[in-house]
Amino acid sequence: MFARRSTLPWPLIALFTAGYLAPYLLPTTVGRLDSGLPLTATEAGAVGSALLLSSAAAGFLLASRVDRIGPRTLARVGLTLAVLGYGGAALAHAVPAVVVGALIGGFGSGTSTAVAATGIAAQPDPHRTTTAGLLGVSALAGAVYLTVPHLGPGHGQPLAAIALTALAVWPLTNRLPLATAPARSRDTGTPLPHLRAGLLLAATLPCWSLAQNALWGVSGRIGLTQAHLSEATVGAVFAIALGAGLLGVVGAGALGPRLGRALPIGGGTVLIAACITLSASATDLTSFATGEIAWNTLYPIVLSYVIGLAASLDPRGRWAVLVGSASSLGTAAGPLTGSLLASQAGFSAMGTVLAAGLLLIAVPMTAVALGTGRRQLPVVEIQVATQAYDKATAA
């Protein structure tokens, strides 16, 4: 496994940043695909969903193979695919070439994040490392949102930013181990505990993540076309919102078990539904900024408790892996879902539908939390759970 060190593992943090930048830039990427290429808004959202699905697929395929292949080799493969895929998509003008490049780049992002997640899990303080990674990707994404509007029109700027980040991180892979010790074998015959609660949580979380990323995927278009804001203003709102999201991650770790699980999950989901409604119906800067910033603050807090709940269902972490994977699928479907709803019914109606869905699934999620509430929530669950924030950003 990765060596445990007291100092921050900067190569892993850099790899984390490179891997998770694409979901963070999703609104501007989808918006630029819509405006810079002969694509409808729905088609641009479909490209965004395909990118995220390719990234999720890489995670499913490679998460258990990092030790076998070797972190350095796999990280270099992922970063190379990201450079070639996103870079090619940024330079191409034919829609098929852009789509293929986005898929290749997405797989590269997912490969990079698989290596980063495996290495971070082996650190003595995963929460501290994850927080540093979130700080890096949030700061970088915020800088891109502030810069891109001043670089002229076209679809390539956000994609080029992701490719250049991967290229800059590549030299740091020299500090990753070439190979790792094989993981100790475990008894795989032990049945999953709390089967009913785990299945219920795994079935509801894709819908929960889908609603979040459906909003995030069309937020740029809401600000530009419905709130009548400039691209620079929308970028500034997103930059502030990403900073608020980081505060949410840190706040979740600081809050710990004080409120139990049911209140943060159930009550937080209700508040998120209200934020989605406000953001989707925004017609000016005040309502748009309030909705986006409040949502980005609450979302990671609730997610950390959800993943902490999944971790509590099985001390070996199998439910946490399954629930996190289910969340990735919902995240990938979000941009297309948001684009379809917005094109068919409008942004406000989209927000109402997403909010109603969140209120419905808040009931079984809260029931699972109440059903496991007799067991104490250790602080380490929240620390481990915050690592999953990056898996749904979705971004």
Side-chain angles (χ1 to χ4, degrees):
M1 297 298 292
F2 288 80
R4 295 179 178 267
R5 300 177 180 178
S6 57
T7 57
L8 283 174
W10 294 110
L12 290 177
I13 293 171
L15 197 62
F16 181 107
T17 301
Y20 289 114
L21 185 59
Y24 272 75
L25 296 182
L26 187 64
T28 188
T29 300
V30 172
R32 290 255 170 166
L33 289 173
D34 178 19
S35 62
L37 294 173
L39 293 172
T40 66
T42 300
E43 290 169 342
V47 175
S49 286
L51 187 160
L52 294 180
L53 186 59
S54 179
S55 181
F60 279 120
L61 290 173
L62 300 172
S64 63
R65 294 177 170 85
V66 174
D67 290 338
R68 188 185 314 166
I69 300 173
R72 186 189 302 174
T73 299
L74 201 55
R76 287 178 172 177
V77 170
L79 293 173
T80 300
L81 290 175
V83 172
L84 295 178
Y86 293 124
L91 296 174
H93 297 286
V95 171
V98 173
V99 173
V100 171
L103 291 174
I104 295 173
F107 197 89
S109 291
T111 302
S112 301
T113 56
V115 178
T118 302
I120 289 172
Q123 297 301 309
D125 190 351
H127 177 245
R128 178 168 173 252
T129 305
T130 301
T131 301
L134 289 171
L135 176 61
V137 70
S138 296
L140 180 57
V144 173
Y145 276 117
L146 292 174
T147 304
V148 162
H150 304 288
L151 300 179
H155 73 283
Q157 290 87 338
L159 296 168
I162 305 171
L164 290 173
T165 300
L167 184 62
V169 170
W170 204 94
L172 296 178
T173 58
N174 289 326
R175 297 171 58 185
L176 294 174
L178 185 61
T180 57
R184 185 176 298 177
S185 62
R186 292 183 177 181
D187 178 15
T188 58
T190 305
L192 282 168
H194 305 285
L195 185 61
R196 182 180 301 177
L199 287 175
L200 185 58
L201 194 60
T204 54
L205 198 58
C207 302
W208 190 88
S209 297
L210 183 148
Q212 317 296 327
N213 231 41
L215 172 68
W216 187 236
V218 300
S219 288
R221 287 166 50 204
I222 293 173
L224 292 172
T225 64
Q226 183 171 276
H228 305 293
L229 305 175
S230 67
E231 187 179 16
T233 302
V234 171
V237 170
F238 287 156
I240 296 171
L242 289 172
L246 180 62
L247 292 178
V249 175
V250 176
L255 191 61
R258 293 177 179 84
L259 299 179
R261 299 187 186 96
L263 181 59
I265 291 174
T269 298
V270 171
L271 292 176
I272 287 175
C275 293
I276 288 178
T277 302
L278 175 61
S279 184
S281 61
T283 56
D284 56 26
L285 174 59
T286 300
S287 55
F288 178 73
T290 301
E292 290 291 326
I293 294 171
W295 171 68
N296 272 279
T297 303
L298 291 167
Y299 163 66
I301 296 176
V302 178
L303 180 63
S304 67
Y305 280 94
V306 171
I307 302 300
L309 173 60
S312 75
L313 296 175
D314 178 21
R316 289 172 54 185
R318 288 170 293 178
W319 277 124
V321 172
L322 291 173
V323 170
S325 299
S327 174
S328 297
L329 292 177
T331 298
L336 178 58
T337 301
S339 295
L340 286 173
L341 287 173
S343 63
Q344 296 296 321
F347 294 120
S348 296
M350 177 205 73
T352 300
V353 171
L354 295 176
L358 282 176
L359 294 178
L360 286 176
I361 64 173
V363 176
M365 291 173 69
T366 305
V368 174
L370 288 172
T372 59
R374 289 189 177 90
R375 288 179 292 150
Q376 184 179 3
L377 177 67
V379 174
V380 71
E381 285 183 19
I382 296 298
Q383 294 177 338
V384 172
T386 52
Q387 298 178 47
Y389 171 44
D390 46 80
K391 296 182 180 179
T393 182

